[in-house]
Amino acid sequence: MTFNSTFVRPAKFYLAGFYNMPHDKYYYVFLCFVYIMTVLSNGFLLSVIYLVKTLHTPKYIIVFNLAFTDLCGSTALIPKLLDTFLFDRRYIVYEACLTYMFFVLLFGGIQSWTLVTMAYDRLIAICFPLSYHSIITTKSIVSILLSSWIILIAVIAILAVFINRLSFCASIEIKTFFCDHGPIYQLACNDISYSYNMAAVALILIICIPLILISGSYVCISIALVRTTSREERLRALKTCTSHLILVALFFLPFVGTNIAVLTSYIHPNARNINSSLSYTVPPLLNPIIYSLKTEEVRNAIRRLCKRDKLNKIAIKS
């Protein structure tokens, strides 16, 4: 323990997630596979958007931001998780634990607000099609995304600062698979009210408000589509929303479902940790696959890249 005039801080925390889980090595190998595929799929999507000029539009700035965040979020979580549990290095230095917490929560929050920005893009495209290009501009989208980064960096930093003002006099065992905010501050032996209140603020900011805004946008979209007389136009509009709705379901449903289940019934800690870890790791893997396979513009861009590559090879040979 380190002491100063006010606080008692442990040199290290102990991550107790996945305790005595049967055949746990198979799960860690699965997470390793998920991480490799996440890096490849998101890296591929980022490369396609960067290389194909026709994708340099406000809509694909949002997609680029999501792919970048997915890549960073998985990199912040999975390698350290594998190092902790696969190689049984469960002790983590106090400062490293707070850094770990900061980046995992930050990238999770950015993913949430990027999905909100996508919903805003779809709302304007369907409800105000004639004004779309004047409202959804590169400048406006960059401003929205940059604002979400700045606000979330500030909020997560405040969470870390309040953790740093707690004393840990007894247990240093964090009963989850990473340095999550709630399990850390609940170990403290002094006043945790500031951390508790900030946890509520973070939950509202990262989960509640985004869900309300996304739901509200789709209510407006539904009203606009009901007023549309052409069945073909409705189907075309719905098709443009399908990928986004799948991404929203992948991100929010596992997290909300796991937390409701924890509050309403008993779940074994290992089952809870598996559900939570999948909620953090699977959406970043599937997001670029969904966008690559379900979005015609991206498929066409990939075809153009392949054709360009073939032409370059032919030119080099000749």
Side-chain angles (χ1 to χ4, degrees):
M1 297 282 185
T2 55
F3 296 81
N4 63 21
S5 57
T6 313
F7 309 113
V8 181
R9 299 193 183 100
K12 296 179 180 180
F13 282 112
Y14 180 84
L15 291 168
F18 305 121
Y19 183 72
N20 282 341
M21 189 170 77
H23 310 297
D24 55 350
K25 294 284 193 296
Y26 294 110
Y27 185 62
Y28 304 142
V29 170
F30 166 73
L31 288 181
C32 185
F33 170 77
V34 167
Y35 179 63
I36 292 168
M37 294 307 298
T38 299
V39 171
L40 291 175
S41 57
N42 282 287
F44 178 71
L45 183 57
L46 288 169
S47 301
V48 169
I49 295 172
Y50 177 76
L51 292 170
V52 180
K53 302 296 182 185
T54 55
L55 296 181
H56 293 186
T57 62
K59 177 183 175 182
Y60 284 97
I61 290 173
I62 306 171
V63 177
F64 189 93
N65 188 72
L66 182 64
F68 175 74
T69 308
D70 285 341
L71 183 60
C72 292
S74 293
T75 301
L77 177 64
I78 299 177
K80 182 59 184 171
L81 187 155
L82 293 174
D83 180 64
T84 301
F85 298 105
L86 185 58
F87 302 106
D88 200 26
R89 296 168 182 162
R90 292 173 178 255
Y91 283 97
I92 180 169
V93 175
Y94 176 84
E95 291 79 6
C97 192
L98 294 190
T99 304
Y100 192 12
M101 179 194 79
F102 176 85
F103 284 109
V104 172
L105 295 183
L106 172 64
F107 292 124
I110 296 295
Q111 287 172 32
S112 178
W113 277 93
T114 304
L115 293 173
V116 174
T117 313
M118 283 182 168
Y120 173 65
D121 172 79
R122 292 299 83 211
L123 174 70
I124 301 301
I126 293 169
C127 297
F128 308 99
L130 298 178
S131 305
Y132 177 80
H133 292 292
S134 60
I135 297 173
I136 304 295
T137 62
T138 299
K139 185 177 179 181
S140 66
I141 291 301
V142 169
S143 298
I144 291 169
L145 294 174
L146 190 59
S147 297
S148 67
W149 275 91
I150 292 168
I151 291 167
L152 284 162
I153 287 171
V155 169
I156 307 301
I158 292 169
L159 289 180
V161 168
F162 284 149
I163 290 287
N164 207 36
R165 298 182 68 82
L166 296 175
S167 290
F168 299 90
C169 314
S171 176
I172 58 168
E173 183 179 86
I174 301 171
K175 295 181 180 179
T176 186
F177 60 93
F178 81 103
C179 292
D180 200 358
H181 179 253
I184 295 176
Y185 82 73
Q186 288 167 11
L187 297 176
C189 54
N190 59 340
D191 182 17
I192 62 169
S193 58
Y194 289 113
S195 288
Y196 176 84
N197 291 334
M198 277 307 301
V201 169
L203 180 68
I204 291 167
L205 184 65
I206 294 172
I207 299 297
C208 300
I209 293 176
L211 269 176
I212 291 168
L213 292 176
I214 292 169
S215 301
S217 69
Y218 275 101
V219 168
C220 295
I221 287 169
S222 300
I223 293 168
L225 291 179
V226 167
R227 292 174 180 170
T228 304
T229 53
S230 170
R231 184 172 177 272
E232 288 182 1
E233 284 181 22
R234 285 182 203 163
L235 291 174
R236 198 181 309 120
L238 285 171
K239 193 177 178 182
T240 66
C241 297
T242 304
S243 295
H244 178 251
L245 285 170
I246 293 171
L247 300 188
V248 170
L250 282 171
F251 182 84
F252 288 103
L253 288 182
F255 183 87
V256 173
T258 300
N259 281 275
I260 289 172
V262 168
L263 292 171
T264 56
S265 62
Y266 173 78
I267 296 182
H268 191 279
N270 282 336
R272 187 177 70 246
N273 282 324
I274 288 172
N275 288 337
S276 297
S277 59
L278 290 175
S279 301
Y280 276 99
T281 56
V282 172
L285 166 66
L286 296 179
N287 289 349
I289 296 171
I290 290 164
Y291 247 95
S292 298
L293 296 178
K294 292 190 71 67
T295 307
E296 191 174 346
E297 290 166 292
V298 176
R299 292 200 302 267
N300 291 336
I302 292 168
R303 290 191 196 102
R304 283 197 295 274
L305 274 180
C306 293
K307 195 178 292 183
R308 188 195 307 173
D309 189 49
K310 285 181 182 177
L311 291 173
N312 288 339
K313 285 179 180 177
I314 292 167
I316 290 167
K317 286 180 181 178
S318 61

